[in-house]
Amino acid sequence: MRHFIVTVIGRLVRFGARLRGGGSALPGLVVERLDAGYLARVLADLPAGVVAISGTNGKTTTTKMVVELLQSQGFKVFTNKTGSNFSRGIIAAALGECDWRGKLDADIAVLELDEAHAMHVIDKVQPRYTLLLNVLRDQLDRFGELDTTAQLLRRLGAATTQAVVVNQQDPLLAKIGAELVATGAAEVVEFGVAPQLRELFPSDQDLHAAEIGAPQHRDSSSDATALQADVVLQRVAKQEAAYLIDGQIHQVTLQLDGLYNLFNAAAALALVRAILRLNGREAVTGELLGELAQVQPAFGRGEKLTLDGQPLELVLVKNPAGFRLGLASFDPAEVAVMIAINDQYADGRDMSWLWDVDFSSLAAEGVDTVSGVRAWDMTLRLEHDDVYVRQTVPNLAQALSSFRAATSGKNRRIYCTYTAMLELREKLAELTEVENIW
């Protein structure tokens, strides 16, 4: 009876939040306060259990790939598709999909989990499968140094009951994988890249070694060991990738921009193959790649909109590695650029990481508009890399309007932190078609 009553309260709060203009984690927060065991009960009855996806970069897009791949194989999937990856966000998503009894019509849950808040989830629910993507410097005010983040992911892996999929190219994750193999608590599956591509996908150690001119770090795996990974990214060309799977090369063209998404796809494939195998289902590589080729960008993660008849792309940025990869994925001469930086809790309050990003690729064409709570800090940072800024407008609505007017007829790209992205999507929804993900 308590579960039913809390569900009713949560759904009513959710309805009220939607009347106020959109999605909110408030219903999840209310339910969590009323019933700390609510999430565990909602997820307990799923026949195929819970999948956890965590790491610094790529969680939302990779989660979307995994969800769509599993759905193509007949699974009914529950997921936190908004990317709200704290426990209250997952509860809010569940309230939107469960019935009035608080029961989900799903076989499996695929959950994007914030590295720190994953600890709150695994205290209540043990995942059967976990994917660990990478460990990079991110939100130092929350996580501190890399070892802290790695320790959190180590705990997540240790709580997993069936299979942990790890990035073989990340030294910290490779070490976690080796430790899990030694304990034998769960099967360990790896994904990786061929030796000739490793410089395109550097670990945090690689990035910082390159900055100081030191030799780049190489993990302990040899080239021969790399081929033992379940899925190996062999070749890349814009949106095209070739993967080594079961001893054969398979090619696919993705709808997703950015080389990093080709690597994320390798992670998604390795995870889904493990889930299918451990559920007694055959993983047909051609079918999985065919479905992977249809996956569209997750909201705000290279999401492609049309404004005034021209493409506009939203690119979420939240740490040096992510911003660096985003800048490397387009030709500045072909796109008008806006940057929107907020410093709310969901963005990370410490914006010092912006000084670890090399913005010199923007110098030739400049940046049209800088906006957000930390607009002037961002403008100063760009000036230090000799990047011209046409205008600095802290108010996001005003900045979007001015950016739109000044860049008519051009392709546009907006780099934005999380809360800036949410506000910009809301404003853009008044001007063009924007997917409602709440």
Side-chain angles (χ1 to χ4, degrees):
M1 177 60 73
R2 181 184 183 185
H3 190 78
F4 168 75
I5 292 172
V6 173
T7 298
V8 171
I9 293 172
R11 287 173 66 89
L12 289 174
V13 173
R14 180 177 181 275
F15 178 73
R18 288 175 64 83
L19 285 180
R20 292 178 58 195
S24 172
L26 176 62
L29 179 61
V30 170
V31 166
E32 202 169 32
R33 294 285 178 84
L34 293 174
D35 183 358
Y38 185 85
L39 180 61
R41 289 198 304 277
V42 167
L43 300 178
D45 295 332
L46 299 178
V50 173
V51 181
I53 297 177
S54 195
T56 307
N57 281 340
K59 294 186 291 291
T60 301
T61 299
T62 306
T63 297
K64 191 171 190 289
M65 293 183 197
V66 171
V67 168
E68 296 191 22
L69 288 174
L70 288 175
Q71 288 174 335
S72 75
Q73 299 300 302
F75 284 89
K76 293 181 180 178
V77 184
F78 163 69
T79 188
N80 50 332
K81 65 180 180 180
T82 66
S84 182
N85 53 25
F86 295 177
S87 56
R88 59 181 177 265
I90 298 169
I91 295 172
L95 289 168
E97 296 194 25
C98 68
D99 60 23
W100 285 96
R101 298 170 298 166
K103 185 175 178 61
L104 288 170
D105 181 21
D107 302 314
I108 190 169
V110 179
L111 305 179
E112 172 191 339
L113 296 180
D114 172 85
E115 300 93 300
H117 279 261
M119 301 306 102
H120 299 293
V121 175
I122 63 175
D123 283 344
K124 303 176 179 66
V125 182
Q126 282 189 297
R128 291 192 195 176
Y129 316 95
T130 290
L131 170 60
L132 304 180
L133 287 165
N134 41 58
V135 183
L136 298 161
R137 296 172 194 275
D138 183 30
Q139 298 188 31
L140 296 180
D141 55 312
R142 290 185 58 221
F143 294 115
E145 287 301 318
L146 290 181
D147 288 344
T148 303
T149 305
Q151 182 59 33
L152 294 171
L153 295 179
R154 181 178 288 107
R155 289 176 58 189
L156 176 57
T160 304
T161 61
Q162 285 197 261
V164 180
V165 179
V166 299
N167 176 356
Q168 188 184 70
Q169 306 311 129
D170 190 304
L172 292 171
L173 294 184
K175 182 179 179 182
I176 291 172
E179 293 170 353
L180 293 172
V181 169
T183 65
E187 178 182 344
V188 176
V189 177
E190 294 182 322
F191 66 96
V193 300
Q196 66 270 19
L197 297 182
R198 288 182 183 175
E199 290 189 2
L200 294 177
F201 303 97
S203 68
D204 191 87
Q205 286 94 324
D206 292 332
L207 287 171
H208 289 274
E211 287 173 5
I212 63 175
Q216 290 197 11
H217 172 89
R218 283 293 174 253
D219 61 48
S220 58
S221 62
S222 66
D223 294 351
T225 303
L227 298 180
Q228 296 174 9
D230 186 65
V231 179
V232 178
L233 179 59
Q234 290 285 110
R235 295 193 299 272
V236 297
K238 293 186 178 179
Q239 293 170 282
E240 298 178 3
Y243 299 99
L244 179 64
I245 303 173
D246 294 332
Q248 295 186 344
I249 299 292
H250 301 268
Q251 294 190 195
V252 63
T253 301
L254 302 184
Q255 301 291 321
L256 307 169
D257 287 327
L259 293 177
Y260 48 91
N261 280 323
L262 303 181
F263 196 31
N264 291 338
L269 286 167
L271 175 60
V272 170
R273 281 167 52 83
I275 293 171
L276 291 174
R277 175 169 47 79
L278 292 171
N279 280 273
R281 304 194 187 193
E282 182 184 3
V284 179
T285 302
E287 291 181 3
L288 294 177
L289 292 176
E291 187 63 32
L292 192 64
Q294 304 304 314
V295 177
Q296 297 293 323
F299 89 104
R301 279 75 172 178
E303 181 180 19
K304 297 176 182 177
L305 309 176
T306 300
L307 181 63
D308 305 322
Q310 296 298 125
L312 182 150
E313 188 174 1
L314 293 175
V315 180
L316 177 70
V317 293
K318 62 189 186 74
N319 54 51
F323 214 144
R324 168 189 169 277
L325 289 168
L327 290 169
S329 66
F330 84 109
D331 182 352
E334 299 177 356
V335 180
V337 173
M338 173 175 165
I339 301 176
I341 305 295
N342 280 354
D343 64 354
Q344 305 307 312
Y345 179 75
D347 307 301
R349 304 306 300 269
D350 180 3
M351 289 290 117
S352 63
W353 62 266
L354 290 169
W355 292 89
D356 291 330
V357 182
D358 180 1
F359 292 99
S360 58
S361 63
L362 299 174
E365 302 297 329
V367 170
D368 183 87
T369 305
V370 174
S371 186
V373 176
R374 302 295 288 269
W376 289 108
D377 298 83
M378 185 69 242
T379 299
L380 176 64
R381 174 67 193 92
L382 291 171
E383 288 181 358
H384 275 261
D385 277 355
D386 296 321
V387 178
Y388 170 74
V389 176
R390 188 182 68 85
Q391 60 174 350
T392 301
V393 184
N395 182 279
L396 285 167
Q398 294 174 7
L400 179 61
S401 177
S402 182
F403 178 60
R404 180 189 181 195
T407 59
S408 178
K410 297 182 180 179
N411 295 352
R412 305 176 176 104
R413 173 176 273 218
I414 303 178
Y415 293 98
C416 42
T417 57
Y418 186 73
T419 63
M421 181 262 291
L422 294 181
E423 184 174 342
L424 287 168
R425 283 183 98 256
E426 185 177 345
K427 300 301 180 185
L428 287 164
E430 300 172 3
L431 304 172
T432 187
E433 183 177 349
V434 177
E435 180 188 6
N436 182 4
I437 45 79
W438 302 108

